[in-house]
Amino acid sequence: MHNIILIGFMGCGKTSVGIRLSYRMRWVLEDTDRLIERKQKRSISEIFATDGEAAFRQMETKCLEELLTSREKRILSVGGGLAVNPQNETLLRRLGTIVHLKAAPETVYMRLKDDDTRPLLQTDNPRERIQELMDKRLPVYERLADITIEVDHMTVDEVADEIVKRQKGLTERKKADEITCD
Ligand code: S3P
């Protein structure tokens, strides 16, 4: 199924880039966090506080399974922890092209230091927490990604343009490979 899936750490710009891409490609934008909040009628922070992270992770997997039942092409932005859950790897690959928006820990810190909607970063030392999580997650994001874009010094428009360009390149290469194999 050929959706474009945006993965990457919290604060890397998945939502803003997703909105821009969705205009450019005229594809619907879905965001797993928003889908879960809508279904649960509670915010992500409330879900973490009452049910805990493990329950939230199950909701994320369920959400991917539901998305796989639709045939519509979409831009799909997924929560920063979703892609690193081994249960989700096959589901993500089946959903489409995986694009990793790679942001440096300092970029993430500067963008999220005053944000209180990310339960995992509500600690005494968010900078350290970002680094710890990033160290664990980065190898997984990199392994999963069909396309990686380093976003630190790019505008949202530039990132969206780059995704469109690289996605076209991937599709053309795939077609050429199919012809060679025939
Ligand atoms: C999380 C990232 C958040 C949200 C939740 C957990 C994570 O989404 O799913 O707070 O584990 O990195 P964003 O990446 O959209 O901030």
Side-chain angles (χ1 to χ4, degrees):
M1 186 137 24
H2 259 82
N3 301 290
I4 291 183
I5 304 129
L6 302 177
I7 67 167
F9 205 84
M10 294 172 260
C12 68
K14 288 166 292 190
T15 307
S16 342
V17 169
I19 293 170
R20 191 74 205 100
L21 259 186
S22 137
Y23 278 127
R24 281 210 47 174
M25 301 184 67
R26 296 177 208 280
W27 289 8
V28 170
L29 169 68
E30 298 281 16
D31 180 307
T32 52
D33 284 345
R34 302 295 84 77
L35 288 169
I36 291 170
E37 286 182 329
R38 224 179 296 147
K39 193 162 176 188
Q40 291 287 320
K41 300 191 175 62
R42 323 179 258 169
S43 69
I44 301 294
S45 300
E46 285 169 321
I47 297 171
F48 267 73
T50 23
D51 299 7
E53 182 175 352
F56 173 71
R57 298 300 171 201
Q58 284 177 6
M59 292 172 197
E60 288 188 311
T61 302
K62 185 96 203 335
C63 184
L64 287 187
E65 286 166 353
E66 284 170 8
L67 284 162
L68 265 168
T69 64
S70 157
R71 301 189 68 81
E72 189 179 12
K73 282 189 178 182
R74 310 181 205 74
I75 310 294
L76 177 62
S77 161
V78 307
L82 182 149
V84 293
N85 177 350
Q87 279 192 307
N88 298 335
E89 178 168 342
T90 315
L91 298 172
L92 282 173
R93 289 199 192 280
R94 280 172 56 200
L95 275 163
T97 304
I98 303 176
V99 181
H100 171 206
L101 304 187
K102 183 175 178 183
E106 192 56 22
T107 306
V108 171
Y109 175 71
M110 292 312 288
R111 289 182 184 173
L112 296 184
K113 62 183 177 8
D114 299 320
D115 176 285
D116 61 4
T117 65
R118 287 4 188 249
L120 293 180
L121 301 184
Q122 307 312 302
T123 69
D124 291 342
N125 194 340
R127 208 182 221 127
E128 203 175 85
R129 184 94 174 107
I130 290 169
Q131 190 65 60
E132 274 167 20
L133 285 172
M134 189 80 93
D135 288 345
K136 280 197 208 132
R137 292 177 173 188
L138 204 55
V140 185
Y141 293 146
E142 297 201 320
R143 183 168 55 76
L144 279 177
D146 298 301
I147 295 172
T148 298
I149 299 178
E150 295 196 8
V151 298
D152 299 301
H153 303 293
M154 292 173 83
T155 64
V156 168
D157 272 331
E158 285 168 345
V159 177
D161 285 347
E162 187 66 18
I163 295 174
V164 172
K165 197 171 87 194
R166 306 258 302 265
Q167 160 81 351
K168 257 193 209 150
L170 267 188
T171 316
E172 278 157 19
R173 234 173 300 142
K174 229 188 221 163
K175 271 192 199 147
D177 286 350
E178 279 164 14
I179 293 167
T180 323
C181 290
D182 278 349

